[in-house]
Amino acid sequence: MTTVFKKLAIGGKASFYQAVKTYRPGSVEGCVRPAITKLSIGDALNSSKTKVTFLQTETLKGLPVDTAATTKTIDPYLACYIRDLDAAYFGK
């Protein structure tokens, strides 16, 4: 769940914010998630929703990499999937 805040016009050094609305309603823990299970690459490609027809690109110089990408902020919905993936593949 992400909340949108609005800055209140109150004088002084401290800044005050008011919760205006919920950007993504619902909680991350309460959302219905598909179960992530460990599969081989062939089974994973066969059961995927998107039809994958290639796994490589035919370029001589390779693909450009976005060097401005950062890991300082993580989307909570993506973090939810990463936690499940980590538990399925690397958990003990």
Side-chain angles (χ1 to χ4, degrees):
M1 175 173 75
T2 304
T3 306
V4 177
F5 292 98
K6 175 182 151 188
K7 188 172 182 180
L8 298 175
I10 298 176
K13 288 185 177 183
S15 298
F16 294 94
Y17 295 89
Q18 177 184 13
V20 178
K21 67 178 182 174
T22 303
Y23 179 65
R24 290 182 176 165
S27 69
V28 174
E29 296 301 322
C31 67
V32 177
R33 298 178 284 206
I36 298 177
T37 58
K38 189 174 185 176
L39 297 172
S40 66
I41 189 72
D43 293 336
L45 290 174
N46 289 334
S47 66
S48 65
K49 292 180 183 178
T50 305
K51 206 56 171 169
V52 179
T53 57
F54 62 91
L55 290 178
Q56 61 185 11
T57 58
E58 299 174 4
T59 61
L60 296 175
K61 296 183 179 180
L63 297 174
V65 176
D66 184 11
T67 57
T70 179
T71 58
K72 291 185 180 181
T73 58
I74 299 174
D75 182 33
Y77 286 86
L78 177 63
C80 183
Y81 286 109
I82 292 173
R83 182 177 45 227
D84 291 344
L85 183 80
D86 181 50
Y89 282 89
F90 306 109
K92 293 186 179 188

